[in-house]
Amino acid sequence: GIFGIGGDVPAYLHSLIFLVAAAAVWQYSAVGAASTLAVNAFAFHYAHMTTILSNCKDVTKRIPYTLMNSVKKIALVGPGLVMAMMQLLPRAMEFETFAKIGFAPPGLLGPIGGFFLHPIVPWIIAIASLVWLTEGEKKITSFILGLGYLIPGISYCPTMLAPYGLALMFMHLFLGLQLLQEVTPYGSLIPNPL
């Protein structure tokens, strides 16, 4: 599955769970398919399904490497880019559905979590995502995007209604740590974007 243990069967099963959650559960939830909460869930569930499937041997044999690499890149930064663009577009972002499940800024990280809601942050995330996708610069953008997943994952998600808050936290951490892995030197636990 998500940890790469057991071969392709757990990965297929785990991907199927993400697909069912995105295609069946969230479509007909009480919050509505167009709410920010549901869009967030769609983005993260489809991204994780894609990331897990892209590591399966049968899938990698059938899909060309360049196409698979592009799909992996989009899956890695897609949820963050979607949320950033929703914050930038007028009236696209609403926090009422998040508030209903316990979204309470600034969250566990205090001022760091509060800063993440500053109006400049979506611009930084959107620009970093687009630069990262175009292969323009990898180290600093990977660091920014990794923190862009870790900060809300640690600060906001644990305060939300369980089990979705915890699932969302782990989805943020999974993508954020993959991005930070690109800038973490071998044998170190501390990312170095320079």
Side-chain angles (χ1 to χ4, degrees):
I2 204 162
F3 298 113
I5 300 169
D8 287 353
V9 174
Y12 287 134
L13 182 61
H14 205 157
S15 298
L16 181 64
I17 291 168
F18 277 120
L19 177 64
V20 168
V25 175
W26 285 102
Q27 293 285 354
Y28 306 105
S29 67
V31 297
S35 74
T36 303
L37 179 62
V39 171
N40 182 319
F42 294 148
F44 273 98
H45 283 77
Y46 285 129
H48 281 278
M49 180 191 75
T50 304
T51 304
I52 293 169
L53 277 178
S54 66
N55 294 326
C56 294
K57 293 175 189 166
D58 288 340
V59 174
T60 55
K61 286 180 190 174
R62 295 174 190 209
I63 299 177
Y65 175 77
T66 53
L67 178 62
M68 181 59 71
N69 195 31
S70 298
V71 169
K72 273 184 177 179
K73 285 172 32 176
I74 292 169
L76 202 52
V77 299
L81 182 59
V82 165
M83 293 306 289
M85 295 310 288
M86 286 185 73
Q87 288 175 333
L88 294 176
L89 296 172
R91 291 188 221 127
M93 186 77 162
E94 47 81 19
F95 284 108
E96 288 83 27
T97 52
F98 278 102
K100 287 179 186 175
I101 65 166
F103 177 74
L108 299 178
L109 295 179
I112 297 171
F115 172 74
F116 202 76
L117 294 175
H118 190 278
I120 192 73
V121 173
W123 288 99
I124 294 169
I125 298 292
I127 292 168
S129 297
L130 295 174
V131 169
W132 192 87
L133 284 170
T134 58
E135 304 269 342
E137 199 286 327
K138 285 288 194 182
K139 286 194 164 206
I140 294 173
T141 54
S142 292
F143 184 73
I144 290 169
L145 295 172
L147 288 180
Y149 283 124
L150 290 184
I151 290 171
I154 294 170
S155 192
Y156 310 136
C157 296
T159 63
M160 292 185 195
L161 185 67
Y164 184 68
L166 298 175
L168 189 60
M169 178 184 73
F170 286 116
M171 288 190 275
H172 275 80
L173 294 178
F174 179 73
L175 294 177
L177 290 175
Q178 281 189 30
L179 285 161
L180 288 177
Q181 183 181 11
E182 294 185 9
V183 294
T184 304
Y186 181 76
S188 175
L189 294 175
I190 301 171
N192 182 9
L194 303 175

